[in-house]
Amino acid sequence: MTYAKLHDDEEDVDLDEDEIENINVRCQLILDPNGGECECSSFMYTKGSEIGTLPRPIRPGYTFIGWYTNSLEGRAINSSEVISEDMTVYAQWTK
């Protein structure tokens, strides 16, 4: 049996080799609504997967422009974007 810690604040967990391999091929995409509200805050993907269509957040008085790699500028994220590591994307808005 192999022992692994998924996060620093967790206790050791007994995992077999297949479970450890699955952890190493998963990525988390965190959605930061940047002042708005979103139906979901994160998604889990297999590394190398396309992100696909992300939910549209809402923010009264603003129009959603899209999901970006930075809260102020950054690069726009599209549905064919491939995820290879944990990342956060930020909603950008126009008034």
Side-chain angles (χ1 to χ4, degrees):
M1 185 63 62
T2 304
Y3 296 93
K5 204 177 265 194
L6 301 179
H7 300 284
D8 288 338
D9 59 344
E10 292 182 350
E11 295 181 28
D12 288 343
V13 179
D14 291 343
L15 298 174
D16 64 31
E17 290 180 28
D18 290 335
E19 290 172 313
I20 290 173
E21 183 175 317
N22 287 337
I23 290 169
N24 293 331
V25 299
R26 304 288 287 177
C27 304
Q28 183 177 25
L29 177 69
I30 298 171
L31 305 176
D32 183 331
N34 196 18
E37 294 180 15
C38 193
E39 65 188 45
C40 188
S41 61
S42 68
F43 293 95
M44 292 300 293
Y45 293 89
T46 301
K47 284 184 182 178
S49 297
E50 287 187 356
I51 289 176
T53 303
L54 295 174
R56 253 185 115 76
I58 57 170
R59 184 176 178 187
Y62 290 81
T63 301
F64 176 65
I65 299 171
W67 293 104
Y68 285 76
T69 57
N70 186 289
S71 63
L72 299 176
E73 293 180 358
R75 180 177 54 78
I77 300 295
N78 62 55
S79 61
S80 62
E81 181 95 17
V82 173
I83 187 165
S84 59
E85 62 186 359
D86 292 345
M87 68 185 288
T88 300
V89 294
Y90 303 85
Q92 287 194 12
W93 306 95
T94 186
K95 191 131 175 126

